Amino acid sequence: MRNASRRCKSNGVWENSSDYMNCKPLDTHSSLYPDPSIVYTSYFYYGGYTISLVALVAAVSIFVYFKDLRCLRNTIHTNLMCTYILSDFTWILTSTLQEWLSASNNACVLFTFSLHYFVLTNFFWMFVEGLYLYILVVETFTRENIKLRVYMSIGWGDETAN
């Protein structure tokens, strides 16, 4: 590593001159990422999110295609997987816009907001999964069961569905 240097006088004051003899010229033709580990990390993220996206789309397709699998439990699972699909897709889109394209500031804000919203819905649908299991196991003999529209309003954050 090459550095510029500057001497400090015995009274604690810096000298007016700096020594640039060990510096080398800035390479302006280098790649976007000078450190190859950053490039590989980015590829791992894209690969992981793409694999996750393909697997989730396959799982949701199975739940939607086979009518015998339609029940409240699987509907909750499907909604949870849909939030992961939307989150994965939005991450890929946002990352692509930020790294490779010169997107406007408004587009970046919109996609970043969407990404955070879908990540938040992941957690709310996990909460819905836990709530459903709690009601199924602990509140087995009560007459009141929560309807799908209540689960949907919790999971997607829609207050008007109540």
Side-chain angles (χ1 to χ4, degrees):
M1 181 181 275
R2 298 179 181 213
N3 297 315
S5 62
R6 194 170 186 191
R7 293 193 186 268
C8 181
K9 296 180 184 177
S10 60
N11 63 357
V13 177
W14 291 102
E15 287 183 1
N16 287 338
S17 63
S18 299
D19 179 18
Y20 297 104
M21 294 303 292
N22 290 328
C23 293
K24 63 179 183 177
L26 180 63
D27 182 15
T28 58
H29 300 293
S30 65
S31 67
L32 182 62
Y33 298 110
D35 184 7
S37 65
I38 295 174
V39 175
Y40 297 136
T41 302
S42 179
Y43 289 145
F44 281 124
Y45 275 111
Y46 276 107
Y49 277 106
T50 303
I51 291 169
S52 173
L53 194 60
V54 169
L56 286 165
V57 167
V60 168
S61 299
I62 290 169
F63 276 133
V64 170
Y65 182 75
F66 293 106
K67 292 181 182 181
D68 294 341
L69 295 176
R70 292 188 187 162
C71 64
L72 182 57
R73 178 176 51 96
N74 288 343
T75 303
I76 292 171
H77 292 330
T78 303
N79 277 283
L80 176 62
M81 287 185 279
C82 285
T83 64
Y84 278 109
I85 289 170
L86 292 169
S87 177
D88 290 355
F89 180 73
T90 307
W91 186 94
I92 291 170
L93 193 61
T94 303
S95 183
T96 302
L97 283 174
Q98 289 176 353
E99 289 182 21
W100 306 110
L101 304 174
S102 57
S104 69
N105 189 31
N106 292 336
C108 286
V109 168
L110 177 70
F111 284 117
T112 302
F113 175 81
S114 299
L115 177 63
H116 286 286
Y117 170 74
F118 291 131
V119 168
L120 187 64
T121 59
N122 293 157
F123 288 103
F124 275 105
W125 276 105
M126 283 187 261
F127 170 74
V128 167
E129 290 264 359
L131 180 64
Y132 175 74
L133 288 174
Y134 171 79
I135 290 172
L136 198 64
V137 173
V138 176
E139 302 292 330
T140 305
F141 299 110
T142 60
R143 291 184 145 226
E144 291 185 30
N145 287 330
I146 296 179
K147 302 292 183 202
L148 175 63
R149 62 187 162 97
V150 175
Y151 289 127
M152 297 288 271
S153 68
I154 293 171
W156 291 108
D158 181 18
E159 290 297 321
T160 59
N162 283 335

